[in-house]
Amino acid sequence: MRYLIASLFLSFVLLSGYSKDNNEKNSKIHMSYFKTNNSVLLRWAPDSPIAWKLCNKYGYQVERFIMKRDNKLLVNSERSVLIDKITHLPLPLWEAPADTSMSAAVAAEAIFGTSFELDSKSTDIMSMVNMSRELDNRFSFGLFSADNSFEVAKMMGLAFVDNKVKNNEAYLYKVYSLVPTDVAKIDTAYVFVDMYRENIMPHISDVTAKFETKDVTISWKQSDLIGFYNSFVVERSVNDNKHFEPLNSLPYVSASKSSLKEPKNGYYADTLPQIGINYYYRLRGKNSFGFYGPYSDTICVETYTKFTTKPTITSATVVDNKQVVVKWDFPVEYNMLSKGYRVMVSTSIRSNYKQVNTELIKPNIREFTITNPNRVNYIVVEAIDGGDNNYSSMPQMALLKDLVPPAKPVGLSGTVDSLGNVKLNWMPNADNDLLGYRVYFANNPNDEYSQITKDALTTPTFNYKVPLNTLNNFIYFKVQAIDQSFNRSVMSDYSKVVKPDTIPPTTPVIVVAEYANGAVYIKWHKSYSNDVKAEYLLRYNNTLKPDTILRVFGGSQEYSDANITDGQKYRYTVVAKDNSNNFSRNPIVVAVKIPKKDISIKNPFTAVADRVNNQILIEWSYTKTNTVYIYRAEANGKYRMIKTIVGSENSFADKNVKLNTTYKYRLRATFTNGTNTKMSDEVVVEF
């Protein structure tokens, strides 16, 4: 009996742990039912060890209320006491059942045993049991025995059968604790039973089986079955799916590893007596009233022998450079246990192996011809056992001679951004032995192309950064394909990529800038850049920046600016713009001063001989003068300037004179507003 308790204790760690928590609060009784055509079976149990112990001493009372008849609710329910007091049977009445029922023996030990200890020679789990409180152990295993035998539950005072029921009625059952309230408060259990309603016995779903060596693990979804079944029976049929036998003679409970959670799935492990044949499994649940639910779907397990060795490739011979004949060794004793062979081929030793035989090679065959090999072939032979497990040989390499270059790459195109980042794309080659691509460039389509890729590219795309500070506006690219034998394809057609132009055009040079005939004449040498699309003649008035665009030129390099003002100073420059809207830098600026026009003033001055003071006094009527220039000539001589008067004076005494001499005078003045007078008329003085 102790051995049985030890084997089942793991299933009740949850229940034992729960009972400890309930010592600190009011206990209550829980109840469930199962109905037949002419009876109602009731099962109940308190939820704590101390409540169970007290109820064993004081007992329970069972009442029934008729609530409905003919599906109509009664105004006054009909109460009856089914049993005044029910408790466990006395010890002498347990002796005979305990000899034939392990559940009865465990229950009797839990109720009446003087010591409820477990075998100290058991596993670590048993050590955990030994550390548990004795009452918890009695409570847990007592209720476990009741759950697995309805007859034992009745003997324990935890079950009752109401045989006085009618199919047209509905009942409310109550189970009271007879423990005095001053000893302990234990809540009453209630359950409502409608005889019209059927019992729920759910179907077990998601049944699976996993075969490993000689063992089969059966699993099923258990989370949906909680509250319906408390144990399970697993049945097996050998090879025929007809004659099933139960595998567990005792109730099987799938326990959770955690004491806080119900198990999500149930598991059962079966050790097979023989492999190489098919086994069929099914299971069904059993509730605490001893009734079984429907069978689950049947699942089939195909058993097989695992191989202890792998195929060995003995040769991989290239025939006519078109085929590869593969031969291998594998023990003949596995012929009856093997499903066949697969031949796997890859161009890489480490990955991407693909099967080349459309059907499995028969188990007694040890040779296969690869009819469409690659240039480089890494070959693996896989043996397949009865469970579809594969056993792979070491790779064997077979090389074909390759003298055929790959196809010429096509569809090359390129784009470039403003920073000079070029992105090239082309159509991928279909050659099955392609190693990759190389990219070349040139600054002229007819130049020799230079390679710019260090390693072969594996994808049909390439990024490259071109320098922008060069004078050529275009760059040309070509692509070449290379196979695994390093045969090179013909170069692709070139792709012309227009480089972004960041170099400004050369600066135009003004060679003539002069005032004549009331206009400023400008002439310049055009920019020497060949991508200039316009030249701008700019004029500065009195600012540091040009404020007038005189003209945009596309061809002529000269211009006459007649929109000018006398006395103003103008500066001119020419700027070139290319097709990328770059402007020439460091423009050359030239300045042109526009003179003021001379004005005529009638009788601007007088010249009078003063022989007393030996001088000729010259006076003029100019006002707001800046400068007065005095010119003199003797008789028929030439005029020369004899004096420059700066400021607002209006007279001058010429003392450098001689008697009996004829002098002629003329004046010219500039004014503060910038205007000039013309040369005055001549005034003659006889001295």
Side-chain angles (χ1 to χ4, degrees):
M1 180 176 69
R2 289 182 178 179
Y3 176 79
L4 175 65
I5 295 174
S7 66
L8 299 178
F9 179 76
L10 181 63
S11 304
F12 278 81
V13 174
L14 173 64
L15 185 56
S16 178
Y18 177 76
S19 67
K20 296 176 183 179
D21 294 338
N22 277 273
N23 287 336
E24 301 176 1
K25 59 183 181 180
N26 287 347
S27 299
K28 63 180 179 179
I29 302 171
H30 298 269
M31 182 166 53
S32 60
Y33 77 94
F34 190 87
K35 70 180 187 66
T36 64
N37 289 333
N38 53 10
S39 64
V40 172
L41 286 68
L42 302 176
R43 272 278 289 113
W44 62 86
D47 61 3
S48 70
I50 189 64
W52 174 71
K53 182 178 180 180
L54 292 172
C55 289
N56 284 343
K57 178 180 179 180
Y58 292 100
Y60 307 90
Q61 185 181 88
V62 182
E63 291 184 357
R64 186 188 73 182
F65 296 83
I66 303 175
M67 307 299 292
K68 294 171 63 176
R69 185 174 288 120
D70 296 327
N71 210 24
K72 294 181 180 179
L73 188 65
L74 300 182
V75 176
N76 297 310
S77 59
E78 301 174 7
R79 176 181 177 274
S80 61
V81 177
L82 299 181
I83 184 167
D84 288 327
K85 180 179 180 180
I86 182 171
T87 186
H88 59 75
L89 297 179
L91 179 60
L93 298 181
W94 285 86
E95 294 180 359
D99 291 337
T100 58
S101 169
M102 191 66 69
S103 294
V106 172
E109 182 73 14
I111 297 173
F112 301 105
T114 57
S115 177
F116 201 79
E117 296 179 356
L118 302 178
D119 191 349
S120 61
K121 297 181 181 180
S122 299
T123 63
D124 289 341
I125 297 178
M126 298 303 103
S127 298
M128 295 171 55
V129 174
N130 292 329
M131 296 174 62
S132 301
R133 291 180 300 173
E134 182 176 329
L135 179 59
D136 288 341
N137 293 337
R138 293 176 182 271
F139 173 66
S140 299
F141 288 100
L143 295 191
F144 178 74
S145 300
D147 277 345
N148 284 283
S149 172
F150 187 73
E151 291 302 320
V152 171
K154 289 195 294 182
M155 295 170 63
M156 295 177 67
L158 299 177
F160 179 79
V161 178
D162 182 9
N163 293 312
K164 298 179 180 180
V165 296
K166 297 180 180 179
N167 292 333
N168 65 333
E169 293 180 340
Y171 307 99
L172 177 67
Y173 291 93
K174 292 185 179 182
V175 174
Y176 299 91
S177 163
L178 296 179
V179 177
T181 56
D182 59 345
V183 175
K185 293 182 179 180
I186 302 174
D187 293 343
T188 302
Y190 300 84
V191 69
F192 181 78
V193 180
D194 191 338
M195 298 300 290
Y196 281 108
R197 296 182 180 179
E198 297 295 330
N199 296 309
I200 299 176
M201 304 285 278
H203 179 267
I204 301 175
S205 61
D206 297 340
V207 182
T208 62
K210 182 179 180 181
F211 170 70
E212 186 71 26
T213 311
K214 289 186 178 181
D215 297 321
V216 174
T217 301
I218 311 297
S219 67
W220 62 92
K221 189 175 182 181
Q222 186 166 302
S223 57
D224 294 341
L225 307 176
I226 297 173
F228 297 101
Y229 305 122
N230 62 327
S231 62
F232 300 88
V233 176
V234 181
E235 298 182 359
R236 182 183 70 192
S237 172
V238 180
N239 227 19
D240 66 355
N241 196 22
K242 294 180 180 179
H243 302 89
F244 285 87
E245 294 183 359
L247 295 176
N248 53 315
S249 58
L250 296 175
Y252 177 75
V253 177
S254 181
S256 171
K257 294 181 180 180
S258 170
S259 62
L260 301 178
K261 296 181 179 179
E262 294 286 355
K264 182 178 180 180
N265 294 313
Y267 298 93
Y268 185 86
D270 180 29
T271 300
L272 303 176
Q274 179 184 353
I275 60 174
I277 60 177
N278 294 340
Y279 292 88
Y280 299 87
Y281 293 89
R282 67 184 185 184
L283 68 154
R284 57 178 177 170
K286 179 184 177 183
N287 63 20
S288 59
F289 299 94
F291 290 88
Y292 291 92
Y295 279 107
S296 68
D297 294 337
T298 302
I299 56 172
C300 177
V301 177
E302 297 179 0
T303 63
Y304 54 89
T305 300
K306 286 195 171 184
F307 300 155
T308 59
T309 187
K310 300 178 180 180
T312 301
I313 298 177
T314 57
S315 64
T317 306
V318 178
V319 179
D320 297 332
N321 208 42
K322 295 181 179 179
Q323 298 178 337
V324 177
V325 178
V326 185
K327 297 182 180 181
W328 62 91
D329 282 339
F330 197 60
V332 294
E333 55 265 29
Y334 286 135
N335 285 359
M336 297 299 294
L337 304 174
S338 172
K339 288 187 176 182
Y341 303 94
R342 285 195 291 255
V343 177
M344 313 295 290
V345 177
S346 175
T347 57
S348 169
I349 191 172
R350 298 186 182 277
S351 60
N352 298 324
Y353 282 87
K354 296 181 180 179
Q355 182 177 340
V356 293
N357 53 311
T358 56
E359 297 180 354
L360 287 179
I361 302 168
K362 293 182 179 180
N364 62 326
I365 303 297
R366 301 292 190 275
E367 180 179 320
F368 182 77
T369 299
I370 303 173
T371 58
N372 187 27
N374 303 310
R375 210 282 303 179
V376 178
N377 303 272
Y378 291 96
I379 305 168
V380 169
V381 175
E382 295 181 347
I384 312 301
D385 67 16
D388 289 327
N389 301 301
N390 62 74
Y391 304 79
S392 301
S393 70
M394 294 295 292
Q396 178 75 31
M397 186 173 68
L399 294 174
L400 276 65
K401 295 179 181 179
D402 183 10
L403 302 176
V404 179
K408 171 185 174 181
V410 296
L412 177 62
S413 63
T415 58
V416 62
D417 62 19
S418 60
L419 299 178
N421 297 307
V422 177
K423 185 172 184 179
L424 299 175
N425 294 278
W426 58 93
M427 298 296 295
N429 278 41
D431 306 88
N432 58 9
D433 63 342
L434 185 71
L435 177 64
Y437 307 92
R438 289 176 177 166
V439 180
Y440 300 80
F441 87 99
N443 291 321
N444 188 290
N446 299 319
D447 287 349
E448 181 178 353
Y449 283 75
S450 301
Q451 182 178 327
I452 55 177
T453 49
K454 181 179 179 181
D455 300 317
L457 303 174
T458 57
T459 56
T461 182
F462 181 66
N463 296 325
Y464 182 64
K465 188 175 182 66
V466 297
L468 302 180
N469 56 345
T470 58
L471 296 178
N472 55 313
N473 297 325
F474 309 101
I475 187 168
Y476 301 84
F477 293 94
K478 288 186 177 182
V479 175
Q480 185 180 60
I482 305 170
D483 64 19
Q484 295 174 359
S485 298
F486 295 97
N487 297 310
R488 300 185 179 188
S489 72
V490 176
M491 288 273 198
S492 70
D493 296 334
Y494 68 76
S495 174
K496 178 181 177 182
V497 176
V498 180
K499 295 168 58 177
D501 183 8
T502 60
I503 299 177
T506 59
T507 302
V509 178
I510 296 177
V511 295
V512 177
E514 59 184 11
Y515 172 76
N517 300 321
V520 177
Y521 174 70
I522 308 293
K523 184 176 181 180
W524 64 92
H525 291 317
K526 67 178 182 179
S527 171
Y528 291 103
S529 301
N530 57 11
D531 61 343
V532 172
K533 67 177 180 181
E535 290 179 329
Y536 298 87
L537 175 61
L538 309 179
R539 187 180 75 184
Y540 301 74
N541 288 335
N542 293 314
T543 62
L544 296 178
K545 294 183 179 180
D547 54 8
T548 304
I549 299 177
L550 297 179
R551 188 172 177 185
V552 178
F553 292 86
S556 176
Q557 281 79 45
E558 57 182 357
Y559 183 75
S560 290
D561 181 15
N563 186 22
I564 57 177
T565 302
D566 293 340
Q568 292 292 324
K569 183 179 181 180
Y570 297 96
R571 292 179 297 146
Y572 297 88
T573 188
V574 180
V575 177
K577 182 173 76 171
D578 63 17
N579 292 323
S580 298
N581 294 325
N582 297 310
F583 287 90
S584 59
R585 299 173 183 172
N586 302 319
I588 298 173
V589 181
V590 297
V592 177
K593 174 69 175 179
I594 309 301
K596 291 284 188 176
K597 291 183 179 180
D598 295 340
I599 59 176
S600 297
I601 299 178
K602 187 176 181 180
N603 298 323
F605 72 98
T606 60
V608 177
D610 182 2
R611 294 180 181 84
V612 174
N613 295 313
N614 195 32
Q615 63 182 12
I616 297 176
L617 181 61
I618 302 170
E619 294 179 323
W620 56 86
S621 58
Y622 300 134
T623 59
K624 297 182 180 180
T625 58
N626 183 45
T627 306
V628 176
Y629 304 93
I630 301 173
Y631 300 85
R632 187 186 73 178
E634 294 182 8
N636 295 323
K638 293 183 178 180
Y639 278 95
R640 63 182 180 85
M641 187 172 63
I642 61 171
K643 188 65 175 178
T644 299
I645 305 297
V646 178
S648 59
E649 296 183 18
N650 60 1
S651 64
F652 171 70
D654 183 8
K655 295 184 178 183
N656 187 18
V657 294
K658 296 181 294 183
L659 293 173
N660 301 317
T661 304
T662 301
Y663 293 99
K664 297 182 290 185
Y665 292 92
R666 303 183 78 174
L667 269 66
R668 186 172 65 85
T670 62
F671 299 97
T672 56
N673 63 1
T675 58
N676 301 320
T677 66
K678 294 181 179 180
M679 192 69 75
S680 67
D681 294 337
E682 186 178 72
V683 175
V684 180
V685 178
E686 298 289 343
F687 190 76

